[in-house]
Amino acid sequence: MKETLLKIKQEAFSMLEKDDLNIEEVRIKYLGKKGELTSVLRMMGQLSAEERPIMGQLANQVRNEIEEKIAQLTEVQKAKELEKSLVSERLDVTAPGNVRKIGKLHPLTQVQRKMEDIFIGMGFSIAEGPEVEYDYYNFQALNIPQNHPARDTQDTFYITENILLRSQTSPVQARVMEKTQPPIRIISPGRVYRSDEVDGSHSPLFHQLEGLVVDKGITMGNLRGMLETFAKTMFGEKTRIRFRPHHFPFTEPSAEVDVSCFVCGGKGCRLCKGEGWIEILGAGMVHPNVLRTCGIDPEVYSGFAFGMGIERITMCQYGIDDMRLLYENNIKFLEQF
Ligand code: PHE
């Protein structure tokens, strides 16, 4: 038995010295429940009483030596593995990160925000109104009674006879005046709808920005000065504006307002179609009927209003010649702005 034990020890140790060492395999082979040392120990019972303690002691010694060696090698192996992972998993904190692509605002939103900023800078605040609107606010309160011919140019989508998709942002004027006594100084950007066929310059859904100022002693001079400041900030310091007489039922007098072409400066080019001027908005002094209908005394107060298309201003600013491009959601197109 002594030889067997010494042989086991020798074998185990030589196995533990191999290059392709698998420690767990050695442990199971010699020390495991069905291992070689264990089966030798099972045979102890067959020994004589004198031999038993001697062999027992030797067996324990062999076991301890193998266990110790295994523990030692396990430590060494662990240290090697740690060393290896420190090298292979090292992070280069100076390596450039992965650039994550983030989206950006739609050009219409960018232009709308720029316009809002300009007016907020002039003391305006933002008012909102519903896109699903009463005929009353969209037309009647704005001095456009049933069967008025001005309704033809703003045909829209009707939900019932009295409820429609607003065809302009002007109903917000009426809603604000109804609730607030002057001084009033608001802008109202938002979606509007008209039953127009889609083409390069028309869409059944588009955006406007409305403005309204009501106070004592407001004149057309105030309107002009304010619009000039807006145009210069929006399109550049050299921009001039001009008023052309026009008609809107809810303003009197009314005007269409042009800005000098910011590409050619007024000489005439492709953008302004040789005109030197680009029409950007409608405006005028709030009609006394509208003030009265909304509970404001036209003998005490006067005001001006204006409304412009956000698509139109966006197209001018970026030289976009087809309005459909703004709605097609083509990333290649939108990324440019
Ligand atoms: N609401 C008018 C339109 O859509 C524009 C406008 C607004 C004109 C305010 C005058 C005053 O054409």
Side-chain angles (χ1 to χ4, degrees):
M1 180 167 280
K2 190 176 170 192
E3 285 81 62
T4 321
L5 283 170
L6 292 176
K7 203 174 137 229
I8 289 177
K9 178 183 158 185
Q10 201 192 8
E11 271 177 23
F13 268 71
S14 76
M15 241 181 116
L16 286 168
E17 256 142 42
K18 281 192 195 153
D19 283 343
D20 57 350
L21 169 63
N22 182 337
I23 296 180
E24 186 57 12
E25 201 178 283
V26 179
R27 196 189 62 76
I28 293 170
K29 186 163 158 51
Y30 296 98
L31 307 179
K33 262 192 202 151
K34 291 179 187 159
E36 294 187 16
L37 193 61
T38 320
S39 36
V40 174
L41 288 174
R42 274 205 199 103
M43 297 191 298
M44 287 290 201
Q46 296 162 14
L47 297 175
S48 66
E50 299 87 65
E51 267 184 316
R52 214 177 290 155
I54 303 169
M55 284 306 137
Q57 202 185 6
L58 182 64
N60 274 337
Q61 197 189 326
V62 168
R63 170 181 213 105
N64 287 344
E65 281 177 47
I66 298 177
E67 271 176 357
E68 226 168 80
K69 183 79 180 168
I70 285 182
Q72 205 184 24
L73 286 173
T74 307
E75 280 308 305
V76 172
Q77 209 163 56
K78 266 194 201 152
K80 271 194 199 150
E81 265 159 33
L82 179 66
E83 179 74 13
K84 223 163 83 184
S85 69
L86 282 178
V87 172
S88 69
E89 291 165 24
R90 179 187 293 155
L91 279 182
D92 179 359
V93 291
T94 66
N98 295 329
V99 180
R100 209 173 281 191
K101 233 179 151 186
I102 53 168
K104 48 161 90 172
L105 294 174
H106 191 279
L108 283 175
T109 312
Q110 290 182 37
V111 168
Q112 180 180 320
R113 298 217 176 151
K114 184 172 173 192
M115 292 162 78
E116 288 172 4
D117 284 349
I118 296 172
F119 286 111
I120 287 169
M122 291 194 273
F124 285 75
S125 49
I126 296 180
E128 286 189 342
E131 290 171 30
V132 178
E133 185 55 284
Y134 289 106
D135 180 287
Y136 175 78
Y137 289 111
N138 196 75
F139 292 127
Q140 293 168 53
L142 298 173
N143 209 24
I144 310 173
Q146 296 288 349
N147 305 317
H148 190 288
R151 290 192 179 220
D152 284 353
T153 59
Q154 294 201 9
D155 193 18
T156 179
F157 304 92
Y158 285 80
I159 299 202
T160 67
E161 201 151 313
N162 298 314
I163 299 176
L164 43 76
L165 296 185
R166 67 180 182 186
S167 62
Q168 47 186 348
T169 41
S170 303
V172 184
Q173 287 185 37
R175 284 179 172 273
V176 169
M177 284 190 278
E178 237 182 20
K179 284 213 190 75
T180 335
Q181 279 298 305
I184 293 170
R185 202 186 297 177
I186 57 106
I187 53 165
S188 187
R191 284 192 189 131
V192 300
Y193 303 82
R194 291 188 194 175
S195 73
D196 284 337
E197 293 286 344
V198 174
D199 66 25
S201 55
H202 291 88
S203 160
L205 179 163
F206 61 105
H207 299 75
Q208 286 188 334
L209 185 137
E210 192 84 8
L212 172 71
V213 172
V214 185
D215 204 348
K216 285 179 182 153
I218 296 291
T219 70
M220 204 127 177
N222 299 129
L223 171 63
R224 201 190 151 93
M226 193 273 314
L227 285 180
E228 203 166 87
T229 305
F230 167 74
K232 283 184 191 298
T233 320
M234 192 77 204
F235 301 112
E237 245 334 280
K238 293 208 177 95
T239 310
R240 288 159 293 135
I241 60 168
R242 86 175 173 188
F243 279 45
R244 280 179 290 104
H246 196 74
H247 172 262
F248 296 107
F250 39 94
T251 47
E252 177 61 32
S254 303
E256 276 187 336
V257 179
D258 303 337
V259 292
S260 56
C261 179
F262 35 84
V263 170
C264 64
K267 285 190 214 86
C269 68
R270 220 171 61 112
L271 180 69
C272 60
K273 303 202 173 69
E275 293 274 322
W277 295 92
I278 298 169
E279 182 207 318
I280 58 157
L281 60 89
M285 301 306 292
V286 183
H287 198 291
N289 285 353
V290 176
L291 290 173
R292 213 174 288 121
T293 305
C294 298
I296 292 175
D297 186 351
E299 300 297 330
V300 181
Y301 296 106
S302 57
F304 64 72
F306 58 90
M308 54 188 123
I310 299 177
E311 276 77 0
R312 186 166 174 79
I313 298 207
T314 305
M315 288 165 74
C316 284
Q317 274 240 298
Y318 294 125
I320 300 167
D321 57 9
D322 193 319
M323 191 164 162
R324 286 168 286 202
L325 290 166
L326 291 172
Y327 302 120
E328 278 167 358
N329 286 337
N330 179 342
I331 295 284
K332 288 222 170 81
F333 170 75
L334 294 173
E335 266 175 352
Q336 301 172 74
F337 306 100

